[in-house]
Amino acid sequence: MEKERRSSKQYGSLEKTQVEGATQKSTEDVVSMADSTITIEDIEGELSKIERIRDILVRRESELRYMMDDIQLCKEITTLKTELQKLVSIPENDKSNGDRKREEELLQQINKLVETRDFLVDDVEFERLRESEEDRECVLHTVQNCSQDLALKR
């Protein structure tokens, strides 16, 4: 017994796909994956929206990473300052050479972390300026495209 092969009744976003045994296909028989009510402009608009959302999410991710780095640096600085404060509170006569050496090490480590945090803050500012410039370019591009579209429709 030979099983009859049946094709799917649905294809893409179309409700029904008609499959006929005819060997010749007219343009009416061509099946599109896209809903026929959607225009290219609609698709391009939707893609633009998705790209904009993606850009916003990438920016937010970057911002959150900077914030996490900043928080981590601040925690490390606070921990080192606390340890340094304990050493500084020891009277100078009671400090050992190890205490003095540790004070110097802590000051150097704190200084290095503060410099790292300064670089981080500079990077964040640079990113904000770059994003601001990208936004201006995007607005300019959109305005130019809209004005061209209006000119073509007239």
Side-chain angles (χ1 to χ4, degrees):
M1 293 168 96
E2 193 175 48
K3 289 185 180 178
E4 185 181 328
R5 253 180 77 175
R6 293 188 161 213
S7 63
S8 171
K9 294 291 182 192
Q10 292 187 342
Y11 182 74
S13 64
L14 297 177
E15 290 297 316
K16 291 183 182 177
T17 301
Q18 301 282 331
V19 179
E20 300 293 328
T23 56
Q24 251 185 351
K25 291 186 178 182
S26 69
T27 56
E28 295 173 353
D29 292 338
V30 176
V31 177
S32 172
M33 292 285 292
D35 183 356
S36 61
T37 60
I38 296 177
T39 65
I40 291 175
E41 291 80 16
D42 292 338
I43 294 170
E44 288 173 346
E46 189 70 21
L47 284 172
S48 293
K49 287 177 189 176
I50 291 169
E51 287 174 3
R52 182 68 182 141
I53 291 169
R54 186 199 65 207
D55 290 344
I56 290 168
L57 290 173
V58 167
R59 287 180 181 184
R60 183 64 178 150
E61 177 190 21
S62 176
E63 185 178 311
L64 291 172
R65 288 184 189 279
Y66 279 123
M67 289 170 69
M68 285 184 62
D69 290 346
D70 183 48
I71 289 168
Q72 185 62 37
L73 287 169
C74 287
K75 282 181 180 180
E76 290 178 37
I77 290 169
T78 301
T79 301
L80 294 175
K81 281 184 173 181
T82 302
E83 186 179 344
L84 179 63
Q85 194 64 32
K86 289 177 185 175
L87 289 173
V88 169
S89 66
I90 298 172
E92 205 56 41
N93 298 339
D94 296 340
K95 287 183 185 175
S96 66
N97 286 339
D99 290 339
R100 288 185 185 90
K101 185 178 178 185
R102 183 66 183 149
E103 276 184 27
E104 275 302 312
E105 289 172 357
L106 289 172
L107 286 170
Q108 289 174 359
Q109 288 176 346
I110 291 169
N111 189 43
K112 185 177 178 183
L113 289 174
V114 168
E115 287 176 358
T116 302
R117 188 169 181 273
D118 286 345
F119 287 127
L120 182 71
V121 169
D122 289 343
D123 283 348
V124 168
E125 185 59 28
F126 178 78
E127 280 294 311
R128 286 187 182 149
L129 291 173
R130 185 185 60 76
E131 289 170 359
S132 177
E133 182 62 28
E134 282 178 2
D135 290 344
R136 277 193 289 276
E137 288 175 7
C138 184
V139 167
L140 181 62
H141 180 71
T142 303
V143 168
Q144 287 174 344
N145 283 346
C146 288
S147 62
Q148 288 175 356
D149 289 345
L150 286 175
L152 290 175
K153 289 181 181 179
R154 288 182 185 173

